Amino acid sequence: MSSNVLDIAELEFLYYARITENEDQRMKTIYLDNAATTAVLGEVLEVMLPYFTEQFGNPSSIYPLGQAASDTIARARCTIATELKAIEAEVYFTSGGSEANNWAIKGVAQANAKKGRHIITSAIEHHSILHTCQALEKIGFEITYLPVDRNGMVDSANLKAALRSDTILVSIMFANNEIGTIQPIAELARITHDHGALFHTDAVQAFCHEAIDVQTLGIDLLSASAHKINGPKGVGLLYARKGIAMTNLIEGGWQERGRRGGTENVSGIVGFAKAVELTSAERQQEHDRQTQLRNHAIARILAEIPYSRLNGHATHRLANNINISFEFIEGEGMLLQMASRGICVSSGSACTSGSLDPSHVLLAIGLPQEIAHGSLRMTLGRTTSYEDIDYAVDSLVQVIGNLRMMSPLWEDFKAYDSVSLIEALAGVQNS
Ligand SMILES: *Cc1c(COP(=O)(O)O)cnc(C)c1O
């Protein structure tokens, strides 16, 4: 008897395994989450591979195998410094954007604590900035979190008002990872300098996608990451203007000018530089192409799905970012139904998609919790096509329709002719 039961279970298992396998083969995956991470380009992987095998030398070793690796890192640093209009000695390789953000904030705070203990940032920063600031608050620093307007913009008048004689650092992100809003960086940096403080920007989402000249923009410190620009995961950089007081991150080695010790991620750094080269060479072309795709998608969604609204600035916005809220919709259900159609999208940041808390960014732009919960982010990449976008929007129209049909909130709304929160918000914005 028992063996019979096992046989049936086994058969069932095989049956379902085959169905899933067939479905996997039939279903195309459409990746629209390039703000979370991107695919490594073939050319990038190609230049990385030799550094795992033949070119495995330690850059600190004196013999040719080591020196070859050291020269490679020097060339990579030069490529990246040129992209930023910086000099090589101002570029420090890190393990990514989060590490660079932690280092910038803690490093400047520790080295300048005698001058002052006040730091200004914004309410919509990445958690690697916000949580670092919260950690500093516990040890006696004061942090001002600037609000943003309904489009996610920091108001320079608010920055001016918040600056104090003991302000040592202002950190405002270049472009937001959830809603794509691009900040008036040059103006914010100028105001910061007028008050004698340093200006840091988390440029992880903007680096290479937007042209960034640290000289003309007046940026003192900048964070970037390779895996957001079709490079490998686990490598990034901190640009720090020459002469800036900042503590070392890792003691115990002469790597990165003695400020971040430890044997370098040679293959990662090589891949990072290649990704910078390729991404910046196609910057204008990709910017224009993705902007068109983005605007097409936004126009279709707003026209075809009632009670929807665009989050983030309409024009001061990353070319690849679409963030829309739908009333009477629960975000998780929407993501799962999109996933079942092979579409990879997110509800905000990768970090919040696993939790039930609404995004701090969407709350900061004034969305009520209910609306923030029903939000969707689609971020385009180099391989995103018109067909992909139209398939995603067609699917979205169906998914929202299905979910609303099952929603008691939607039924009540239809039955009692209640007030739409999204329409009310639009009214506030237009008045
Ligand atoms: C992804 C991201 C980071 C973190 O970068 P990692 O390299 O993944 O650590 C920081 N800030 C922003 C705005 C990001 O989008």
Side-chain angles (χ1 to χ4, degrees):
M1 265 315 262
S2 66
S3 76
N4 201 7
V5 171
L6 267 179
D7 284 349
I8 288 166
E10 214 168 300
L11 272 173
E12 265 181 355
F13 172 76
L14 287 172
Y15 176 67
Y16 285 115
R18 268 194 52 197
I19 286 186
T20 344
E21 192 181 298
N22 285 344
E23 267 173 3
D24 280 345
Q25 281 166 359
R26 245 186 289 131
M27 200 164 61
K28 192 179 160 200
T29 296
I30 295 181
Y31 185 75
L32 293 174
D33 204 14
N34 287 277
T37 195
T38 57
V40 172
L41 292 171
E43 295 104 306
V44 170
L45 180 64
E46 202 178 308
V47 297
M48 290 175 69
L49 286 175
Y51 292 93
F52 291 100
T53 50
E54 309 96 72
Q55 299 289 337
F56 65 90
N58 187 322
S60 298
S61 303
I62 204 83
Y63 41 77
L65 190 65
Q67 285 312 292
S70 170
D71 292 348
T72 301
I73 290 178
R75 278 196 302 276
R77 204 184 302 278
C78 178
T79 301
I80 290 171
T82 307
E83 166 69 20
L84 287 167
K85 305 283 188 295
I87 57 171
E88 284 98 316
E90 296 173 321
V91 172
Y92 299 92
F93 289 116
T94 66
S95 71
S98 301
E99 182 183 311
N101 283 341
N102 270 259
W103 189 9
I105 305 276
K106 288 180 196 163
V108 168
Q110 282 165 5
N112 295 276
K114 285 212 178 73
K115 268 199 235 157
R117 289 171 168 260
H118 181 234
I119 293 171
I120 299 173
T121 186
S122 85
I124 61 165
E125 300 293 313
H126 188 264
H127 283 128
S128 56
I129 295 284
L130 292 177
H131 292 177
T132 302
C133 286
Q134 285 159 19
L136 287 178
E137 279 177 305
K138 292 199 181 109
I139 56 166
F141 285 84
E142 260 185 86
I143 317 285
T144 301
Y145 301 91
L146 294 178
V148 291
D149 68 13
R150 291 190 171 270
N151 293 321
M153 292 282 250
V154 171
D155 185 344
S156 53
N158 285 338
L159 172 60
K160 238 179 233 171
L163 279 154
R164 315 190 315 210
S165 58
D166 62 340
T167 308
I168 49 173
L169 177 68
V170 174
S171 178
I172 307 285
M173 72 201 314
F174 205 107
N176 184 268
N177 47 308
E178 293 186 41
I179 57 173
T181 300
I182 299 175
Q183 302 296 339
I185 293 298
E187 191 186 350
L188 298 173
R190 184 179 49 74
I191 293 167
T192 302
H193 289 157
D194 287 349
H195 281 74
L198 294 171
F199 188 81
H200 167 257
T201 188
D202 170 355
V204 171
Q205 289 292 335
F207 182 59
C208 284
H209 300 304
E210 300 287 324
I212 300 178
D213 177 334
V214 291
Q215 307 298 333
T216 56
L217 290 173
I219 295 167
D220 299 305
L221 301 115
L222 172 146
S223 308
S225 180
H227 77 100
K228 304 287 174 84
I229 60 161
N230 298 101
K233 292 168 182 63
V235 58
L237 69 87
L238 179 65
Y239 155 80
R241 189 186 296 284
K242 219 175 165 188
I244 278 179
M246 179 179 88
T247 54
N248 298 342
L249 183 67
I250 301 176
E251 305 292 344
W254 289 110
Q255 295 90 349
E256 303 305 310
R257 301 164 61 81
R259 306 186 100 170
R260 185 192 184 270
T263 303
E264 298 90 336
N265 175 2
V266 183
S267 62
I269 290 168
V270 171
F272 190 9
K274 192 69 186 175
V276 167
E277 229 173 71
L278 296 170
T279 315
S280 66
E282 287 179 10
R283 173 166 40 238
Q284 197 54 55
Q285 187 190 325
E286 271 304 297
H287 193 277
D288 295 348
R289 194 186 72 85
Q290 290 183 24
T291 302
Q292 279 188 9
L293 274 178
R294 177 197 75 189
N295 292 346
H296 168 69
I298 292 172
R300 268 200 66 189
I301 295 168
L302 295 181
E304 295 175 36
I305 305 178
Y307 308 108
S308 58
R309 59 160 275 147
L310 176 69
N311 298 316
H313 201 284
T315 51
H316 295 293
R317 179 183 201 96
L318 289 170
N320 78 340
N321 178 287
I322 299 162
N323 189 311
I324 309 231
S325 291
F326 305 97
E327 201 166 353
F328 318 109
I329 289 294
E330 219 285 294
E332 297 287 291
M334 175 169 51
L335 294 193
L336 287 173
Q337 287 214 15
M338 291 296 274
S340 78
R341 287 154 205 253
I343 305 166
C344 309
V345 289
S346 88
S347 59
S349 69
C351 322
T352 48
S353 60
S355 87
L356 290 175
D357 295 337
S359 133
H360 67 287
V361 176
L362 297 178
L363 296 181
I365 61 170
L367 292 195
Q369 295 235 1
E370 306 90 297
I371 304 291
H373 267 305
S375 302
L376 178 81
R377 180 186 74 179
M378 299 198 278
T379 42
L380 322 181
R382 302 165 60 99
T383 58
T384 308
S385 66
Y386 260 96
E387 292 76 56
D388 294 342
I389 284 294
D390 278 329
Y391 175 70
V393 175
D394 290 344
S395 304
L396 189 60
V397 172
Q398 290 168 10
V399 165
I400 300 287
N402 292 346
L403 289 172
R404 279 184 178 162
M405 240 158 26
M406 299 188 297
S407 156
L409 289 171
W410 176 250
E411 260 175 32
D412 286 354
F413 175 72
K414 289 277 134 187
Y416 302 113
D417 201 17
S418 336
V419 189
S420 153
L421 283 173
I422 278 185
E423 283 184 343
L425 274 172
V428 170
Q429 251 153 315
N430 295 336
S431 64

